[in-house]
Amino acid sequence: ADPESAADVVYTLESGSLPAGASLTSTSSGAVIAGDLTAVGSNTTSNFTIRAKDAASNTSDRAFSITVTGGIEQSGQFIP
């Protein structure tokens, strides 16, 4: 929760794209990026921006980059 607005923050994918097979979920403890990344066939870098927005409509954007190595089975979570 955001101490200034006393409400949970909602995280959204503002721009760019996640690696193939990944998705972003907003939770009460942060944003979770998870999925089955086996669809990536070669080394791929995904650049994207996540926006945090509270109940008072205060926003903050942060840019991220994830590189997935193709040909290796990968799964997991990244909590920014």
Side-chain angles (χ1 to χ4, degrees):
D2 179 355
E4 294 179 7
S5 69
D8 287 338
V9 175
V10 175
Y11 299 89
T12 56
L13 182 65
E14 182 61 20
S15 66
S17 61
L18 299 174
S23 62
L24 182 137
T25 303
S26 183
T27 70
S28 61
S29 60
V32 176
I33 297 172
D36 180 2
L37 305 180
T38 57
V40 177
S42 61
N43 295 356
T44 304
T45 300
S46 297
N47 299 298
F48 54 93
T49 300
I50 294 176
R51 172 169 286 173
K53 183 177 180 181
D54 67 11
S57 294
N58 297 310
T59 61
S60 179
D61 294 352
R62 181 170 291 175
F64 294 92
S65 177
I66 294 177
T67 300
V68 177
T69 304
I72 299 173
E73 188 170 332
Q74 301 178 45
S75 63
Q77 294 184 355
F78 169 75
I79 302 175

